[in-house]
């Protein structure tokens, strides 16, 4: 069982930045593909960004590419999501997810992940 704890959410003005963190309890964190997803009120959960377990390949949703950056620190069992140039449409609950040795081509698929965090609220004001 892997526990994921997100932090770093909050209220920010449009154009501002936030960095989300997700700490995992996994003993072999480096073997887990990690993803960030988000869900806005009244909308379905959507993929935001992911980073592979092998080689650290990264993937982004088209809506955040160039503004968000995902990274991982295996020594700290932590994955990060740096969010810049935030927009009101980025407002959502952000969830961290983990999947053991998930194939690179499946990192964007939510139901392929085994473990999910509780989520952290990000609110972007105009």
């Amino acid at each position: 069982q892997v526990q994921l704890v997100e932090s770093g959410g909050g209220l920010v003005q449009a154009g501002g930045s936030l960095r989300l963190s997700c700490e995992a309890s996994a003993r072999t964190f480096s073997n887990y593909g990690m993803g960030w997803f988000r869900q806005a009120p009244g909308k379905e959960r959507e993929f935001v960004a992911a980073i592979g377990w092998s080689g650290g390949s990264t993937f982004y949703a088209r809506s955040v590419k160039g503004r968000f950056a995902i990274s991982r620190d295996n020594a700290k069992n932590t994955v990060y999501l740096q969010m810049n140039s935030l927009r009101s449409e980025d407002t959502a609950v952000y969830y961290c997810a983990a999947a053991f040795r998930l194939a690179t081509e499946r990192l964007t698929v939510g139901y392929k992940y085994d473990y999910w965090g509780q989520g952290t609220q990000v609110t972007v004001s105009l």
Side-chain angles (χ1 to χ4, degrees), residues 30-33 51-57 72 101-102 104 107:
S30 61
N31 281 335
Y32 285 80
I51 186 166
W53 66 274
S54 175
S57 300
R72 65 189 299 158
R101 294 193 174 186
L102 183 60
T104 299
L107 285 168

Side-chain angles (χ1 to χ4, degrees), residues 1-119:
Q1 192 75 5
V2 175
Q3 292 186 329
L4 303 172
V5 179
E6 302 101 333
S7 61
L11 175 64
V12 64
Q13 288 188 332
S17 298
L18 281 175
R19 188 176 81 155
L20 305 183
S21 299
C22 172
E23 185 173 357
S25 65
R27 290 186 177 183
T28 57
F29 177 72
S30 61
N31 281 335
Y32 285 80
M34 302 296 297
W36 286 98
F37 294 77
R38 66 187 182 186
Q39 187 167 20
K43 294 187 177 181
E44 293 186 352
R45 183 183 66 195
E46 64 175 357
F47 168 76
V48 176
I51 186 166
W53 66 274
S54 175
S57 300
T58 57
F59 302 87
Y60 298 94
R62 190 171 297 179
S63 60
V64 307
K65 198 167 187 178
R67 300 188 297 123
F68 290 12
I70 188 171
S71 61
R72 65 189 299 158
D73 184 340
N74 290 336
K76 295 183 177 180
N77 277 24
T78 300
V79 63
Y80 304 97
L81 185 67
Q82 178 66 44
M83 305 186 296
N84 299 324
S85 302
L86 283 161
R87 306 167 180 168
S88 58
E89 54 263 40
D90 295 318
T91 295
V93 177
Y94 283 70
Y95 296 92
C96 172
F100 184 75
R101 294 193 174 186
L102 183 60
T104 299
E105 62 269 21
R106 293 179 176 152
L107 285 168
T108 63
V109 182
Y111 70 84
K112 292 294 185 181
Y113 286 80
D114 305 307
Y115 305 100
W116 292 82
Q118 293 300 307

